[in-house]
Amino acid sequence: MENGGQVIDRAEPAVLPPALRAGLALVAVVAALVVVAVGGWYAGHGRPGAVDAWIQPAVDDAGAPCRRIALAIDFLGEPIGAAVLVGAAVVGCLLLRSPRAAVQFVGGAGVAVAATKLLKPLVGRTIHGDNLSYPSGHTAFLTAFALTAALLAAGRIGLGPRAGALLVLAAALAAGAAMGWAQVALGAHYPTDVLGGWCTALAVVPATGWLVDRWKAG
């Protein structure tokens, strides 16, 4: 589009900012290796490991007010809460005329959760009887959602590699830590299940973003 002889680029920013692609690709590979390594270590187990036994007591000391907070955070990963969260993000993206971002919110979170559902029976780790626990789908979902939001913010603001990476990883860490704490506090997962869910999101969201960018570019 031209305005007084000046060309204005109104192209939608990439889901995966070019400045962050190489760094996030490395993060994704490392995260995938962690998911496989931890899953292999605890495959078929139905009890906490050494790391879990070290972390769990500190989380279990949380009182009733903390439990209510944990339940509120947990709701964000439940089907209704997740649908509301993703739906609000999609509506916001469409209002901002960013269909690519809307697709990524759905795709990034959806693929992350689907990956955990695929991995759980393969790993076969259980908690409270026969409940499959590794990796945590709730943690993967909220991490993927926050990671996508941070990627889109970094692209729109035009952050460089260092600042962009700091924003993206901080958002993923904050979301993963919050949901992970809630899952452990509620007894739904072992701490290492949470690590697996967090790394699952870190592994699949950059790949999903790259695919969305390729699809829209085509």
Side-chain angles (χ1 to χ4, degrees), residues 24 143 146-147 150 162-178 198 202:
L24 286 178
T143 301
L147 186 55
R162 188 169 300 177
L166 182 62
L167 173 64
V168 167
L169 295 179
L173 180 59
W198 187 65
L202 290 177

Side-chain angles (χ1 to χ4, degrees), residues 94-138:
L94 295 179
L95 289 175
L96 293 172
R97 298 183 180 179
S98 299
R100 179 184 294 170
V103 171
Q104 174 60 16
F105 269 113
V106 176
V111 172
V113 172
T116 65
K117 289 187 178 297
L118 176 64
L119 288 168
K120 281 179 178 178
L122 293 177
V123 175
R125 190 185 196 189
T126 57
I127 189 170
H128 305 312
D130 296 329
N131 297 304
L132 295 172
S133 66
Y134 182 91
S136 167
H138 280 60

Side-chain angles (χ1 to χ4, degrees), residues 31 35 112 139-145 147 196-206:
V35 172
T139 306
F141 166 76
L142 197 61
T143 301
F145 183 88
L147 186 55
W198 187 65
C199 287
T200 298
L202 290 177
V204 304
V205 170

Side-chain angles (χ1 to χ4, degrees), residues 38-121:
V38 176
W41 184 262
Y42 290 110
H45 287 205
R47 62 187 184 279
V51 174
D52 303 313
W54 177 61
I55 297 174
Q56 188 80 48
V59 179
D60 286 342
D61 289 339
C66 289
R67 181 173 176 80
R68 286 193 289 270
I69 295 172
L71 287 169
I73 297 173
D74 175 74
F75 176 73
L76 298 176
E78 292 294 314
I80 295 177
V84 170
L85 202 58
V86 172
V90 168
V91 170
C93 291
L94 295 179
L95 289 175
L96 293 172
R97 298 183 180 179
S98 299
R100 179 184 294 170
V103 171
Q104 174 60 16
F105 269 113
V106 176
V111 172
V113 172
T116 65
K117 289 187 178 297
L118 176 64
L119 288 168
K120 281 179 178 178

